[in-house]
Amino acid sequence: MSLQYNAILITGASSGIGAALARYYACAGVTLFISGRNQARLKLVENDCRDAGANVFADILDVTDKNMMADYVSKCHSIMPLSLVIANAGISAGSGDDGETPDQVRHIMATNVDGVLNTIDPAVAVMKQQQRGQIAIMSSQASWRGLPTAPAYCASKAAVRIYGEALRGSLVRDRIRVNVICPGFVKSRITDANNFRMPFLMKASKAARIIDRGLTRNKATIAFPWQMNMLTSMLKHLPSAIFDRVVARLPNKPARRQNSQAK
């Protein structure tokens, strides 16, 4: 594990990749600011991280609330100057036979796009003052091309991926690193709800190790697993006529909203 991070903020840390990252980084000398929306699950993560020796602050938050997030990031930074902020909180929605509803689409965009901005904007502001820091944005392998089974999810993850790629260059002079994370299928509450085969499904603990390695090396894009990278690269470059026939065979997700802290 990298020892360069002594104060880490992770949103969506009550399950999935967010919880795995919190547990991975938990050790003596590390201060963790973890947040989520489920008190019971977040408490379990908090207890595990404390047992590992970390100094832990756990809060129930709504990342779609801009003012709440600005106050939260500022408060955390005042306790311990932030070295790493992971904007991980996100949701998906099952498409079912009727596709995503308009309300679902707006909720996904508000959480996955506005929620990321609400997390990283105040973090960038305080990191600019200290002239150092690192921002990690959770995107997805689903960001590379729009899939009819999850239009809003794909669009939201594409938006934050492109934004992160651009932000990386614009913050170089401020000595702030920006990294975009694009996982494939990782075991979480979202994937638990899927009733179809998920290729290369990975444990969240393994995903956390891969993410840390990429962050430590300051990789612009941390995309994994490599097999999924190959598949999505092929889909990305398929002509539309062929792509439409391929994705028409994809199974629909269960028609209900699922909270997630990961892909």
Side-chain angles (χ1 to χ4, degrees):
M1 185 188 76
S2 168
L3 298 178
Q4 65 178 306
Y5 309 118
N6 59 356
I8 306 170
L9 185 154
I10 307 172
T11 62
S14 59
S15 66
I17 292 179
L21 284 168
R23 290 182 172 111
Y24 181 84
Y25 282 119
C27 66
V30 171
T31 297
L32 291 174
F33 301 99
I34 60 175
S35 62
R37 298 194 66 179
N38 184 284
Q39 182 101 44
R41 290 197 303 270
L42 188 65
K43 187 64 178 177
L44 291 175
V45 179
E46 177 187 2
N47 291 341
D48 287 345
C49 293
R50 287 191 191 282
D51 290 343
N55 185 27
V56 187
F57 296 85
D59 292 273
I60 300 300
L61 294 175
D62 180 0
V63 294
T64 67
D65 188 324
K66 180 180 177 181
N67 293 331
M68 176 186 289
M69 291 305 297
D71 291 342
Y72 173 69
V73 173
S74 177
K75 180 190 75 173
C76 294
H77 186 72
S78 69
I79 295 171
M80 176 71 74
L82 296 170
S83 51
L84 172 63
V85 170
I86 305 176
N88 169 72
I91 61 170
S92 180
S95 56
D97 294 330
D98 299 323
E100 296 163 337
T101 68
D103 285 344
Q104 285 179 328
V105 169
R106 283 160 179 77
H107 189 49
I108 291 168
M109 292 296 183
T111 304
N112 295 4
V113 179
D114 292 347
V116 167
L117 297 179
N118 293 342
T119 303
I120 67 175
D121 285 352
V124 167
V126 297
M127 288 179 179
K128 279 186 174 181
Q129 294 175 359
Q130 66 185 14
Q131 284 290 289
R132 68 181 183 277
Q134 190 163 1
I135 303 286
I137 296 173
M138 191 65 65
S139 180
S140 170
Q141 291 277 356
S143 70
W144 298 109
R145 190 156 184 175
L147 301 173
T149 53
Y153 182 78
C154 292
S156 67
K157 292 301 185 179
V160 296
R161 176 175 58 81
I162 297 296
Y163 185 69
E165 291 170 356
L167 196 64
R168 179 180 171 89
S170 71
L171 293 177
V172 168
R173 292 182 180 178
D174 297 294
R175 299 176 64 189
I176 300 173
R177 297 177 170 187
V178 180
N179 316 91
V180 177
I181 305 166
C182 295
F185 289 111
V186 174
K187 187 165 179 58
S188 66
R189 294 180 63 239
I190 273 185
T191 56
D192 287 346
N194 290 341
N195 56 4
F196 53 86
R197 181 178 174 274
M198 292 166 282
F200 317 116
L201 179 66
M202 180 182 293
K203 291 183 178 179
S205 57
K206 182 177 181 179
R209 294 194 299 271
I210 294 171
I211 290 168
D212 174 64
R213 186 164 64 244
L215 293 177
T216 303
R217 297 174 181 176
N218 192 29
K219 292 185 64 175
T221 305
I222 305 166
F224 60 92
W226 65 267
Q227 301 97 323
M228 185 63 78
N229 287 341
M230 291 182 62
L231 285 177
T232 53
S233 180
M234 291 172 58
L235 284 176
K236 183 169 57 176
H237 294 99
L238 278 179
S240 294
I242 299 176
F243 176 79
D244 291 344
R245 289 200 295 271
V246 170
V247 298
R249 301 175 183 177
L250 295 177
N252 285 325
K253 296 172 118 184
R256 62 180 185 273
R257 182 167 62 84
Q258 296 291 331
N259 289 327
S260 170
Q261 284 72 44
K263 178 214 158 276

